[in-house]
Amino acid sequence: DTGVSQDPRHKITKRGQNVTFRCDPISEHNRLYWYRQTLGQGPEFLTYFQNEAQLEKSRLLSDRFSAERPKGSFSTLEIQRTEQGDSAMYLCASSLEGGWRFFGPGTRLTVL
Amino acid sequence: SQQGEEDPQALSIQEGENATMNCSYKTSINNLQWYRQNSGRGLVHLILIRSNEREKHSGRLRVTLDTSKKSSSLLITASRAADTASYFCATDANDYKLSFGAGTTVTVRA
């Protein structure tokens, strides 16, 4: 499968725990995006990378959130001290510059 | 905050009928994109229309864009059960930040 993959697909955690998600983009895509989607809503932009550089972060991305893309390949999104309000689907997408986004299947996070 | 707003929020049609949904947005855009999302899955890109285009077709899909009214429409002709999904419009104002609406949920009855 040469599409965008995300791991894990589902994560259940207790409030206060840290979680980390991984995204593997389409290999030739230099741009990688993270979005968050809550039930009944469209995805909301969190951050994006061009190669290994994180170029934009939404105000939604509090200081408990951090994203990395070492070597411009896969990316990780870490949430520290999770809160119940963090429960959502976390979507990763990749693209070429100016191209449309290819989305992964998402990681569904449930914080108890 | 979400830039686009889809209308209606939900749509139920019989197989073979056409489905039309609308999207309104607030700021200037470079292009507008439509995506489909099946329940609990990732989004699939359907069609992109640039700000200098007025209409675009792809298979059974027809998209229009009226930049003077800041609105777009997506028409799905001859709907099939497999078209049951949520449809989102997304505006691209600055080449990296897609802003999505809340979506239209389409149910196609057999």
Side-chain angles (χ1 to χ4, degrees):
Chain A
D1 186 354
T2 57
V4 178
S5 61
Q6 292 187 244
D7 183 67
R9 295 290 306 276
H10 303 272
K11 178 71 178 178
I12 300 173
T13 191
K14 292 182 179 178
R15 191 175 53 185
Q17 297 293 304
N18 299 344
V19 294
T20 299
F21 310 141
R22 178 180 169 122
C23 170
D24 286 272
I26 293 172
S27 58
E28 60 267 28
H29 285 179
N30 58 346
R31 288 191 173 181
L32 186 148
Y33 313 81
W34 285 99
Y35 285 82
R36 181 172 69 187
Q37 186 179 24
T38 52
L39 201 62
Q41 298 297 314
E44 294 178 293
F45 172 82
L46 292 179
T47 189
Y48 101 103
F49 293 83
Q50 177 136 335
N51 300 310
E52 66 274 11
Q54 187 175 18
L55 297 184
E56 180 74 16
K57 289 171 62 172
S58 163
R59 282 172 287 181
L60 292 174
L61 217 62
S62 75
D63 55 7
R64 296 185 298 106
F65 289 70
S66 62
E68 294 183 343
R69 192 184 182 197
K71 302 178 184 176
S73 56
F74 72 92
S75 176
T76 58
L77 178 69
E78 181 184 16
I79 309 174
Q80 297 182 328
R81 305 181 303 281
T82 51
E83 302 172 355
Q84 288 185 323
D86 297 331
S87 294
M89 175 81 88
Y90 289 84
L91 294 164
C92 174
S94 69
S95 76
L96 294 170
E97 198 165 333
W100 63 63
R101 277 67 159 171
F102 288 80
F103 280 82
T107 294
R108 182 168 295 284
L109 173 66
T110 302
V111 182
L112 302 175
Chain B
S1 63
Q2 302 201 302
Q3 150 92 298
E5 287 186 17
E6 286 92 343
D7 172 59
Q9 290 186 339
L11 186 57
S12 180
I13 56 173
Q14 200 75 27
E15 203 166 23
E17 293 181 338
N18 296 342
T20 300
M21 59 211 85
N22 303 296
C23 169
S24 59
Y25 58 92
K26 296 171 185 169
T27 62
S28 298
I29 60 172
N30 293 328
N31 63 68
L32 186 144
Q33 304 176 30
W34 285 90
Y35 287 80
R36 184 187 72 223
Q37 185 177 37
N38 291 91
S39 181
R41 309 289 293 275
L43 284 83
V44 174
H45 183 270
L46 296 176
I47 198 163
L48 180 153
I49 186 164
R50 301 192 188 284
S51 60
N52 61 353
E53 297 176 313
R54 292 296 166 258
E55 187 171 312
K56 206 158 182 182
H57 297 255
S58 176
R60 294 183 296 112
L61 305 180
R62 172 178 170 256
V63 168
T64 63
L65 178 64
D66 186 335
T67 53
S68 67
K69 295 181 179 178
K70 292 187 169 57
S71 67
S72 174
S73 68
L74 171 67
L75 168 68
I76 305 172
T77 60
S79 62
R80 306 167 181 168
D83 295 328
T84 294
S86 293
Y87 292 81
F88 296 90
C89 70
T91 52
D92 196 344
N94 52 18
D95 189 40
Y96 66 85
K97 184 177 176 180
L98 274 186
S99 297
F100 287 84
T104 293
T105 300
V106 175
T107 303
V108 181
R109 306 186 306 272

